[in-house]
Amino acid sequence: MYCGDRGIRDGVLVSILSILEHNSGPIQFYILTIDYKDTKAFPDSTAKFLDRLVKETNKKSFVKKIDATKVFVEDLPEKNMGSYFTPCSMLRLYADKIPELPRDKILYLDYDVVCRGDLTEFYGTDLTDLEAAGVLDIYGKNFYHYNFPKTDYMNSGVMLFNMEECRRSKMFERAVKLCQKRWMMLADQAALNKSISRRKLMPRKYNEQAERPKADTILHHFSNNFKFFPYFRVQKVKPFEVEKIHKVLKITEYDDILKRYEELKGKL
């Protein structure tokens, strides 16, 4: 499952291409989106193009766009509507209200996550009596995980949800209420970490947030990275920014996927 507006089209294409490269399917891709004020929905034409693309690998695979505007507007996360991130960053918090989504498990990915291996083992993680599985946040762990009171602060860019348990515990509902009542810098991530009461920490290879992947990395998350020399700055490089991937990160191992992306991006 991805969440976002029309601005995530390039990232979703690269992410899906990388998943298809390492997983034969059948795979069900869901894209939650909204059309609300300045937020323009993920295009129908792009969703249909991606659906045809995944069916080339496995006829039983599909891409389904879901308009979540109604459930979002009915329960707006009011205190965080004007944050640095678009309202779509909070869409996953409404997953329990979307009947078209699977009833058992959902693997959520940010649009800037590239797959480097087989996802079967990760998706098959036993979540009995647990709400979610994820990886410690590369920066948040320094503030929460290793200090008192110890908290397993997970990065929300890759999360495996036990939907049945999340519905039973009303975890998502608690997260939405937090976003309605309290402004938070990373609203979706903070709300999920505060609302998930039973979680499973996964190895870093399932959400590598450093700028360069490691040999065993399965999911490489191109999240923002802090740089301190020669001056402090936030380095932002996304997987569809081909020139930056080469010149800034010096990464060439995704070239086959990026070549395919550049061939297809004009059809988005």
Side-chain angles (χ1 to χ4, degrees), residues 33-65:
T33 191
I34 57 173
D35 197 332
Y36 180 72
K37 294 186 176 180
D38 294 333
T39 303
K40 302 304 178 184
F42 193 92
D44 286 337
S45 57
T46 302
K48 291 176 181 177
F49 167 73
L50 293 173
D51 183 63
R52 294 192 297 270
L53 179 67
V54 303
K55 282 181 167 56
E56 292 176 3
T57 300
N58 190 300
K59 292 182 179 180
K60 293 183 179 180
S61 295
F62 63 77
V63 173
K64 183 177 181 62
K65 167 191 166 180

Short mmCIF file of all heavy atoms in Angstrom, two decimals, residues 33-65:
data_model
loop_
_atom_site.label_atom_id
_atom_site.label_comp_id
_atom_site.label_asym_id
_atom_site.label_seq_id
_atom_site.Cartn_x
_atom_site.Cartn_y
_atom_site.Cartn_z
N THR A 33 -5.50 7.71 -1.97
CA THR A 33 -5.31 9.10 -2.37
C THR A 33 -6.53 9.92 -2.00
O THR A 33 -7.59 9.36 -1.67
CB THR A 33 -5.03 9.19 -3.88
OG1 THR A 33 -4.59 10.50 -4.21
CG2 THR A 33 -6.27 8.84 -4.70
N ILE A 34 -6.39 11.24 -2.05
CA ILE A 34 -7.51 12.15 -1.81
C ILE A 34 -7.46 13.30 -2.81
O ILE A 34 -6.41 13.62 -3.35
CB ILE A 34 -7.51 12.72 -0.37
CG1 ILE A 34 -6.19 13.45 -0.07
CG2 ILE A 34 -7.81 11.65 0.65
CD1 ILE A 34 -6.19 14.18 1.27
N ASP A 35 -8.61 13.90 -3.02
CA ASP A 35 -8.72 15.12 -3.81
C ASP A 35 -9.39 16.14 -2.89
O ASP A 35 -10.61 16.16 -2.73
CB ASP A 35 -9.58 14.87 -5.05
CG ASP A 35 -9.38 15.96 -6.11
OD1 ASP A 35 -9.06 17.10 -5.71
OD2 ASP A 35 -9.55 15.66 -7.30
N TYR A 36 -8.55 16.97 -2.26
CA TYR A 36 -9.07 17.87 -1.22
C TYR A 36 -8.30 19.18 -1.24
O TYR A 36 -7.09 19.21 -1.02
CB TYR A 36 -8.94 17.19 0.15
CG TYR A 36 -9.45 18.02 1.30
CD1 TYR A 36 -10.81 18.22 1.49
CD2 TYR A 36 -8.55 18.60 2.21
CE1 TYR A 36 -11.28 18.98 2.56
CE2 TYR A 36 -9.02 19.36 3.28
CZ TYR A 36 -10.38 19.55 3.44
OH TYR A 36 -10.84 20.30 4.48
N LYS A 37 -9.00 20.26 -1.56
CA LYS A 37 -8.41 21.59 -1.63
C LYS A 37 -7.21 21.59 -2.59
O LYS A 37 -7.35 21.28 -3.75
CB LYS A 37 -8.05 22.10 -0.24
CG LYS A 37 -9.29 22.33 0.64
CD LYS A 37 -8.94 22.97 1.96
CE LYS A 37 -10.21 23.27 2.76
NZ LYS A 37 -9.91 23.90 4.08
N ASP A 38 -6.00 21.89 -2.09
CA ASP A 38 -4.83 21.96 -2.96
C ASP A 38 -4.20 20.59 -3.24
O ASP A 38 -3.26 20.49 -4.02
CB ASP A 38 -3.76 22.87 -2.35
CG ASP A 38 -4.21 24.33 -2.29
OD1 ASP A 38 -5.05 24.71 -3.12
OD2 ASP A 38 -3.74 25.06 -1.40
N THR A 39 -4.71 19.56 -2.60
CA THR A 39 -4.18 18.22 -2.79
C THR A 39 -4.91 17.53 -3.93
O THR A 39 -6.11 17.28 -3.85
CB THR A 39 -4.34 17.39 -1.50
OG1 THR A 39 -3.68 18.04 -0.42
CG2 THR A 39 -3.74 16.00 -1.68
N LYS A 40 -4.18 17.27 -5.02
CA LYS A 40 -4.78 16.66 -6.20
C LYS A 40 -4.51 15.16 -6.22
O LYS A 40 -3.38 14.71 -6.01
CB LYS A 40 -4.22 17.31 -7.47
CG LYS A 40 -4.45 18.82 -7.53
CD LYS A 40 -5.94 19.16 -7.39
CE LYS A 40 -6.18 20.66 -7.40
NZ LYS A 40 -7.61 20.99 -7.17
N ALA A 41 -5.55 14.41 -6.49
CA ALA A 41 -5.49 12.95 -6.37
C ALA A 41 -4.52 12.31 -7.35
O ALA A 41 -4.20 12.85 -8.41
CB ALA A 41 -6.89 12.37 -6.58
N PHE A 42 -4.05 11.15 -6.97
CA PHE A 42 -3.26 10.29 -7.86
C PHE A 42 -4.12 10.01 -9.08
O PHE A 42 -5.27 9.58 -8.98
CB PHE A 42 -2.93 8.99 -7.13
CG PHE A 42 -1.87 8.16 -7.79
CD1 PHE A 42 -0.54 8.31 -7.45
CD2 PHE A 42 -2.22 7.20 -8.74
CE1 PHE A 42 0.44 7.54 -8.06
CE2 PHE A 42 -1.25 6.43 -9.35
CZ PHE A 42 0.09 6.59 -9.01
N PRO A 43 -3.61 10.24 -10.29
CA PRO A 43 -4.44 10.14 -11.51
C PRO A 43 -4.93 8.72 -11.81
O PRO A 43 -4.20 7.75 -11.65
CB PRO A 43 -3.50 10.63 -12.62
CG PRO A 43 -2.42 11.39 -11.92
CD PRO A 43 -2.24 10.71 -10.59
N ASP A 44 -6.17 8.64 -12.28
CA ASP A 44 -6.72 7.36 -12.71
C ASP A 44 -5.89 6.77 -13.84
O ASP A 44 -5.65 5.56 -13.87
CB ASP A 44 -8.16 7.55 -13.22
CG ASP A 44 -9.16 7.76 -12.09
OD1 ASP A 44 -8.86 7.36 -10.95
OD2 ASP A 44 -10.23 8.34 -12.36
N SER A 45 -5.45 7.62 -14.76
CA SER A 45 -4.70 7.14 -15.92
C SER A 45 -3.38 6.48 -15.50
O SER A 45 -2.96 5.47 -16.08
CB SER A 45 -4.42 8.28 -16.90
OG SER A 45 -3.71 9.34 -16.24
N THR A 46 -2.74 7.06 -14.47
CA THR A 46 -1.49 6.49 -13.98
C THR A 46 -1.74 5.14 -13.31
O THR A 46 -0.98 4.18 -13.51
CB THR A 46 -0.81 7.44 -12.98
OG1 THR A 46 -0.57 8.70 -13.62
CG2 THR A 46 0.51 6.88 -12.49
N ALA A 47 -2.80 5.06 -12.51
CA ALA A 47 -3.14 3.80 -11.85
C ALA A 47 -3.42 2.70 -12.88
O ALA A 47 -2.99 1.55 -12.71
CB ALA A 47 -4.34 3.99 -10.93
N LYS A 48 -4.13 3.05 -13.95
CA LYS A 48 -4.44 2.07 -14.99
C LYS A 48 -3.18 1.63 -15.73
O LYS A 48 -3.02 0.45 -16.07
CB LYS A 48 -5.46 2.65 -15.97
CG LYS A 48 -6.84 2.85 -15.35
CD LYS A 48 -7.80 3.53 -16.32
CE LYS A 48 -9.16 3.74 -15.68
NZ LYS A 48 -10.10 4.46 -16.59
N PHE A 49 -2.28 2.58 -15.98
CA PHE A 49 -1.01 2.24 -16.63
C PHE A 49 -0.20 1.28 -15.76
O PHE A 49 0.34 0.28 -16.24
CB PHE A 49 -0.21 3.51 -16.90
CG PHE A 49 1.23 3.24 -17.26
CD1 PHE A 49 1.56 2.72 -18.50
CD2 PHE A 49 2.24 3.49 -16.35
CE1 PHE A 49 2.88 2.46 -18.83
CE2 PHE A 49 3.57 3.23 -16.67
CZ PHE A 49 3.89 2.71 -17.92
N LEU A 50 -0.12 1.58 -14.46
CA LEU A 50 0.62 0.72 -13.54
C LEU A 50 -0.02 -0.66 -13.43
O LEU A 50 0.67 -1.68 -13.30
CB LEU A 50 0.71 1.37 -12.17
CG LEU A 50 1.55 2.65 -12.09
CD1 LEU A 50 1.41 3.31 -10.71
CD2 LEU A 50 3.01 2.37 -12.38
N ASP A 51 -1.35 -0.70 -13.49
CA ASP A 51 -2.05 -1.98 -13.44
C ASP A 51 -1.67 -2.85 -14.63
O ASP A 51 -1.39 -4.05 -14.49
CB ASP A 51 -3.56 -1.74 -13.41
CG ASP A 51 -4.35 -3.02 -13.29
OD1 ASP A 51 -4.20 -3.72 -12.27
OD2 ASP A 51 -5.11 -3.36 -14.23
N ARG A 52 -1.63 -2.25 -15.82
CA ARG A 52 -1.21 -3.01 -17.01
C ARG A 52 0.24 -3.46 -16.88
O ARG A 52 0.59 -4.58 -17.29
CB ARG A 52 -1.39 -2.15 -18.26
CG ARG A 52 -2.84 -1.81 -18.60
CD ARG A 52 -2.95 -1.21 -20.00
NE ARG A 52 -2.25 0.06 -20.12
CZ ARG A 52 -2.78 1.24 -19.87
NH1 ARG A 52 -4.03 1.33 -19.45
NH2 ARG A 52 -2.09 2.36 -20.03
N LEU A 53 1.07 -2.61 -16.29
CA LEU A 53 2.49 -2.92 -16.13
C LEU A 53 2.71 -4.15 -15.24
O LEU A 53 3.47 -5.05 -15.60
CB LEU A 53 3.22 -1.71 -15.54
CG LEU A 53 4.71 -1.87 -15.29
CD1 LEU A 53 5.47 -2.01 -16.60
CD2 LEU A 53 5.25 -0.68 -14.49
N VAL A 54 2.04 -4.21 -14.09
CA VAL A 54 2.27 -5.33 -13.17
C VAL A 54 1.68 -6.62 -13.73
O VAL A 54 2.19 -7.71 -13.43
CB VAL A 54 1.70 -5.03 -11.77
CG1 VAL A 54 2.31 -3.77 -11.19
CG2 VAL A 54 0.18 -4.94 -11.76
N LYS A 55 0.65 -6.51 -14.54
CA LYS A 55 0.05 -7.71 -15.14
C LYS A 55 0.98 -8.34 -16.19
O LYS A 55 0.82 -9.51 -16.53
CB LYS A 55 -1.30 -7.37 -15.76
CG LYS A 55 -2.42 -7.26 -14.72
CD LYS A 55 -3.76 -6.93 -15.39
CE LYS A 55 -4.93 -7.13 -14.44
NZ LYS A 55 -4.84 -6.35 -13.19
N GLU A 56 1.94 -7.58 -16.68
CA GLU A 56 2.92 -8.15 -17.61
C GLU A 56 3.80 -9.17 -16.91
O GLU A 56 4.33 -10.09 -17.54
CB GLU A 56 3.78 -7.04 -18.21
CG GLU A 56 3.04 -6.09 -19.14
CD GLU A 56 3.91 -4.95 -19.62
OE1 GLU A 56 5.12 -4.94 -19.28
OE2 GLU A 56 3.40 -4.07 -20.34
N THR A 57 3.99 -8.99 -15.60
CA THR A 57 4.80 -9.92 -14.81
C THR A 57 3.97 -11.08 -14.29
O THR A 57 4.39 -12.24 -14.31
CB THR A 57 5.46 -9.19 -13.62
OG1 THR A 57 6.29 -8.14 -14.12
CG2 THR A 57 6.29 -10.14 -12.78
N ASN A 58 2.76 -10.77 -13.82
CA ASN A 58 1.86 -11.81 -13.32
C ASN A 58 0.42 -11.35 -13.56
O ASN A 58 0.01 -10.30 -13.07
CB ASN A 58 2.10 -12.05 -11.82
CG ASN A 58 1.35 -13.27 -11.31
OD1 ASN A 58 0.13 -13.35 -11.37
ND2 ASN A 58 2.10 -14.24 -10.79
N LYS A 59 -0.33 -12.12 -14.29
CA LYS A 59 -1.69 -11.71 -14.68
C LYS A 59 -2.62 -11.55 -13.49
O LYS A 59 -3.66 -10.88 -13.59
CB LYS A 59 -2.27 -12.72 -15.68
CG LYS A 59 -1.57 -12.71 -17.03
CD LYS A 59 -2.22 -13.69 -17.99
CE LYS A 59 -1.52 -13.64 -19.36
NZ LYS A 59 -2.12 -14.59 -20.33
N LYS A 60 -2.27 -12.16 -12.37
CA LYS A 60 -3.12 -12.06 -11.18
C LYS A 60 -2.76 -10.85 -10.31
O LYS A 60 -3.45 -10.57 -9.33
CB LYS A 60 -3.02 -13.35 -10.35
CG LYS A 60 -3.62 -14.57 -11.05
CD LYS A 60 -3.56 -15.79 -10.15
CE LYS A 60 -4.18 -17.00 -10.85
NZ LYS A 60 -4.13 -18.22 -9.99
N SER A 61 -1.69 -10.17 -10.66
CA SER A 61 -1.32 -8.95 -9.93
C SER A 61 -2.21 -7.80 -10.39
O SER A 61 -2.78 -7.83 -11.48
CB SER A 61 0.14 -8.60 -10.19
OG SER A 61 1.01 -9.59 -9.67
N PHE A 62 -2.32 -6.79 -9.53
CA PHE A 62 -3.08 -5.61 -9.94
C PHE A 62 -2.65 -4.40 -9.14
O PHE A 62 -2.02 -4.50 -8.08
CB PHE A 62 -4.58 -5.83 -9.81
CG PHE A 62 -5.09 -6.07 -8.41
CD1 PHE A 62 -5.24 -5.02 -7.50
CD2 PHE A 62 -5.43 -7.35 -7.98
CE1 PHE A 62 -5.72 -5.24 -6.22
CE2 PHE A 62 -5.91 -7.59 -6.71
CZ PHE A 62 -6.06 -6.52 -5.82
N VAL A 63 -3.00 -3.22 -9.68
CA VAL A 63 -2.84 -1.95 -9.00
C VAL A 63 -4.22 -1.33 -8.87
O VAL A 63 -4.93 -1.17 -9.88
CB VAL A 63 -1.91 -0.98 -9.76
CG1 VAL A 63 -1.90 0.40 -9.09
CG2 VAL A 63 -0.49 -1.54 -9.83
N LYS A 64 -4.61 -0.99 -7.66
CA LYS A 64 -5.94 -0.43 -7.42
C LYS A 64 -5.81 0.91 -6.72
O LYS A 64 -5.24 1.00 -5.63
CB LYS A 64 -6.79 -1.37 -6.58
CG LYS A 64 -8.22 -0.88 -6.34
CD LYS A 64 -9.02 -1.89 -5.55
CE LYS A 64 -10.45 -1.42 -5.31
NZ LYS A 64 -11.22 -1.23 -6.55
N LYS A 65 -6.30 1.95 -7.35
CA LYS A 65 -6.37 3.28 -6.72
C LYS A 65 -7.64 3.36 -5.90
O LYS A 65 -8.72 2.97 -6.35
CB LYS A 65 -6.37 4.37 -7.79
CG LYS A 65 -6.73 5.74 -7.27
CD LYS A 65 -6.98 6.73 -8.40
CE LYS A 65 -7.67 7.99 -7.91
NZ LYS A 65 -7.92 8.97 -8.98
#
